[in-house]
């Protein structure tokens, strides 16, 4: 009688890391061969900064809260929305792999765990989001928006990571649940603009009608935008700093982080049954 050998924990972790690295490298090779996605993902937010910054450069002082200029106000929204849009597109490579049969090859390959396919996609999107965020921060600083301190930059990285992690999980779940890329692209188009305009990306809460204020404070993008915006204006921030005056009460910096962490946790947990069925 033979018994099946159970892989040692150390070996299993090493194999998982090796597989995830290889699959992530594959995605970057695809990006290198077709860099238009990355180029567009950099040019678009820069155009937002330039055009919207010019549009509101003569706005009365104080019109956008404590911001000295509209670039300071807009920069946070551009950073968050760029990361959100990239994460929402995370499911497209997986969807195309499904349609062209590459995913089936991965599923029958001797992988230690098929969840490395999902983790590789998440790592890829997080790295791209950090790259885009760095470029936007640099461009904003050169245009006069300033730059948060070192601890502030680390906080921005954490905020972007939590947001991207949750939205990437949602996008990957849709990639496995929807029948094809047409439906996934439709969901992306329908989702993008409403969430942008129903957030504090382009205007403060005080400018909005009451019903839109309520909607904006239910939008997870606002909980990423407002802490980053606060970092631009307050170098002496802390977790107890109030970053948003919601209709139902004040939201602290730490509270916004908790909302983003809960958002990511709920989305990642919600796609687990779908992933188990897909990878069974």
């Amino acid at each position: 009688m033979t018994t099946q050998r159970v892989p040692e924990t150390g070996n299993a972790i090493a194999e998982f890391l090796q597989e995830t690295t290889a699959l992530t490298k594959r995605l970057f090779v695809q990006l290198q061969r077709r860099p238009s996605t990355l180029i567009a993902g950099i040019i678009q937010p820069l155009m937002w900064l330039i055009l919207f910054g010019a549009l509101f450069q003569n706005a009365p002082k104080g019109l956008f809260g404590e911001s000295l200029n509209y670039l300071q106000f807009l920069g946070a929204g551009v950073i968050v929305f760029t990361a959100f849009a990239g994460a929402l597109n995370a499911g497209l490579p997986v969807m195309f792999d499904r349609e062209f049969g590459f995913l089936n090859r991965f599923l029958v390959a001797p992988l230690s765990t098929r969840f490395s396919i999902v983790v590789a996609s998440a790592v890829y999107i997080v790295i791209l989001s950090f790259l885009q965020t760095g470029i936007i921060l640099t461009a904003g600083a050169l245009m006069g928006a300033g730059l948060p301190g070192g601890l502030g930059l680390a906080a921005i990285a954490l905020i972007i990571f939590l947001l991207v992690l949750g939205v990437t999980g949602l996008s990957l779940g849709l990639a496995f649940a929807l029948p094809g890329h047409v439906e996934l692209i439709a969901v992306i188009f329908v989702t993008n603009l409403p969430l942008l305009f129903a957030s504090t990306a382009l205007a403060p809460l005080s400018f909005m009608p009451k019903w839109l204020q309520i909607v904006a404070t239910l939008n997870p993008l606002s909980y990423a935008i407002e802490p980053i915006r606060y970092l631009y204006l307050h170098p002496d921030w802390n977790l107890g700093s109030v970053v948003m005056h919601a209709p139902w009460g004040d939201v602290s910096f730490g509270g916004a982080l908790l909302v983003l962490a809960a958002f990511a946790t709920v989305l990642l947990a919600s796609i687990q049954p779908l992933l188990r069925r897909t990878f069974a």
Side-chain angles (χ1 to χ4, degrees), residues 7 75 100 105 107 118 131-132 138 159 165-166 194 227 244 258 260 279:
F100 290 114
R105 297 182 185 181
L107 295 180
V118 176
L131 175 62
Q132 291 173 322
T138 302
I159 292 168
L165 193 64
M244 182 166 61
L258 288 176
L260 291 174
F279 296 152

Side-chain angles (χ1 to χ4, degrees), residues 22-233:
L23 292 170
T24 304
K25 183 179 179 181
R26 171 180 175 265
L27 292 171
F28 277 104
V29 168
Q30 291 178 342
L31 180 65
Q32 183 180 9
R33 292 175 177 173
R34 293 183 177 178
S36 56
T37 301
L38 177 60
I39 294 172
I42 293 173
I43 291 177
Q44 185 181 41
L46 293 181
M47 289 178 62
W48 279 57
L49 285 175
I50 294 170
L51 296 177
F52 275 88
L55 181 63
F56 290 98
Q57 66 178 354
N58 294 324
K61 187 176 180 180
L63 186 64
F64 299 104
E66 301 175 74
S67 304
L68 298 178
N69 54 60
Y70 189 61
L71 279 176
Q72 284 187 330
F73 183 89
L74 181 65
V78 172
I79 289 170
V80 170
F81 188 70
T82 301
F84 168 75
L88 200 58
N89 288 320
L92 282 174
V94 176
M95 178 64 80
F96 288 129
D97 282 344
R98 271 185 58 193
E99 293 181 342
F100 290 114
F102 288 105
L103 184 61
N104 289 334
R105 297 182 185 181
F106 289 138
L107 295 180
V108 299
L111 299 174
S112 63
T113 171
R114 292 166 181 167
F115 284 96
S116 58
I117 301 171
V118 176
V119 175
S121 297
V123 171
Y124 169 73
I125 294 298
V126 168
I127 294 174
L128 280 188
S129 298
F130 283 163
L131 175 62
Q132 291 173 322
T133 298
I135 292 173
I136 296 169
L137 285 169
T138 302
L142 293 175
M143 295 169 66
L147 196 66
L151 191 58
L153 293 176
I156 291 175
L158 176 60
I159 292 168
I160 295 301
F161 174 77
L162 291 174
L163 177 68
V164 168
L165 193 64
V167 178
T168 298
L170 172 63
S171 182
L172 292 174
L174 292 173
F176 289 114
L178 296 176
H181 73 274
V182 174
E183 289 79 9
L184 180 56
I185 292 174
V187 171
I188 292 172
F189 278 132
V190 169
T191 305
N192 264 335
L193 285 181
L195 283 179
L196 171 65
F197 289 109
S199 73
T200 58
L202 303 178
L205 279 176
S206 57
F207 275 25
M208 303 178 186
K210 191 71 174 180
W211 68 268
L212 189 54
Q213 290 183 18
I214 296 173
V215 172
T217 53
L218 296 176
N219 187 344
L221 295 186
S222 297
Y223 292 88
I225 293 168
E226 291 302 322
I228 295 177
R229 186 170 288 154
Y230 192 89
L231 291 172
Y232 268 101
L233 304 174

